[in-house]
Amino acid sequence: PPTGGLIAIETLYAPDGSLIAADYTPATRERFVNPAYRAAAEAALAALQGPCNPLKDMPREDYAAWRQLEFTLNPRLMR
């Protein structure tokens, strides 16, 4: 499994739950020297940008609470 620490991705969502923007935190980018870690980080970002959008059915009345989120993933637990 990849080593190097947790993967952190900052996200911004639209009121309908669609992803507007997603990017790695600076600490995550610093760990890209490890090829396995970088591959895991790229897979995590692709999942959030694609079919694994975790916020597609969120209530709009709570939009202020989930508009901007940071996801932290452990690459050792990713498959």
Side-chain angles (χ1 to χ4, degrees), residues 37-67:
Y37 178 87
R38 183 180 185 134
E42 290 173 351
L45 183 60
L48 287 173
Q49 292 172 328
C52 297
N53 178 353
L55 301 184
K56 63 182 177 183
D57 296 319
M58 295 296 287
R60 288 186 185 208
E61 60 270 12
D62 296 330
Y63 177 61
W66 54 265
R67 178 180 171 266

Side-chain angles (χ1 to χ4, degrees), residues 1-63:
T3 59
L6 299 175
I7 298 166
I9 300 173
E10 297 172 330
T11 59
L12 180 64
Y13 288 90
D16 68 356
S18 60
L19 186 65
I20 296 172
D23 201 4
Y24 308 107
T25 63
T28 294
R29 284 192 180 281
E30 289 174 6
R31 296 184 189 107
F32 276 8
V33 294
N34 177 327
Y37 178 87
R38 183 180 185 134
E42 290 173 351
L45 183 60
L48 287 173
Q49 292 172 328
C52 297
N53 178 353
L55 301 184
K56 63 182 177 183
D57 296 319
M58 295 296 287
R60 288 186 185 208
E61 60 270 12
D62 296 330
Y63 177 61

